[in-house]
Amino acid sequence: MRRDHADGTVTPEAVQLRADIAGVGSRSIALIVDMLIQVVLLLPVLFVALGDGIGGMGEAIAITVIGFVVLWLYFPAFEWLWRGQTPGKRLQGIRVVRTNGQPAGMAPVVVRNLVRIVDAFLLPFLALFSMVVTKRGQRLGDLAAGTMVVRERRLSRPQVVATGIQETQSAAMLDTSAMSER
């Protein structure tokens, strides 16, 4: 079952907004990319731990902290700092937003990633089932946080079409003060 658009949100100006919902495939590819990045970041830590053996309490604490940061803070940190994207999501052209289309913000990002422990690691089939049956393709973390993952639209540069303008004049020089919305 494929959903191209979520039901639109109506703004105070009575404009209906629609979002292209990211599919299970693009979200899965993004997750695989992010997990590969995490593995690459953890390999040096693993080599130190296995190669040298953990020599003391300080080294054990350092390895634990680095592991925690890479495994548990990766997703919320990127999604908050990169406005709803991780490297995998950016590569796939998808982004986490609130269900009303607004940027997710810190609190929803933290909530959706705390629930990731359950729906991605403990019950992954439940997360997949949830994404397939919900109208907005939401996993449990998205439902708890009021977020969804959408495809970003690739906007091309707007073309200015006007008659009677010499090719050397730029669009910025056009006087649009007499124009109205109608």
Side-chain angles (χ1 to χ4, degrees), residues 13-25:
E13 295 81 14
V15 175
Q16 185 174 14
L17 302 176
R18 295 178 63 155
D20 291 333
I21 302 300
V24 173

Side-chain angles (χ1 to χ4, degrees), residues 32-46 70-71 74:
I32 290 168
V33 168
D34 288 326
M35 290 174 74
L36 287 173
I37 291 170
Q38 288 179 312
V39 166
V40 168
L41 292 172
L42 285 174
L43 279 177
V45 175
L46 184 62
V70 171
L71 292 174
Y74 176 91

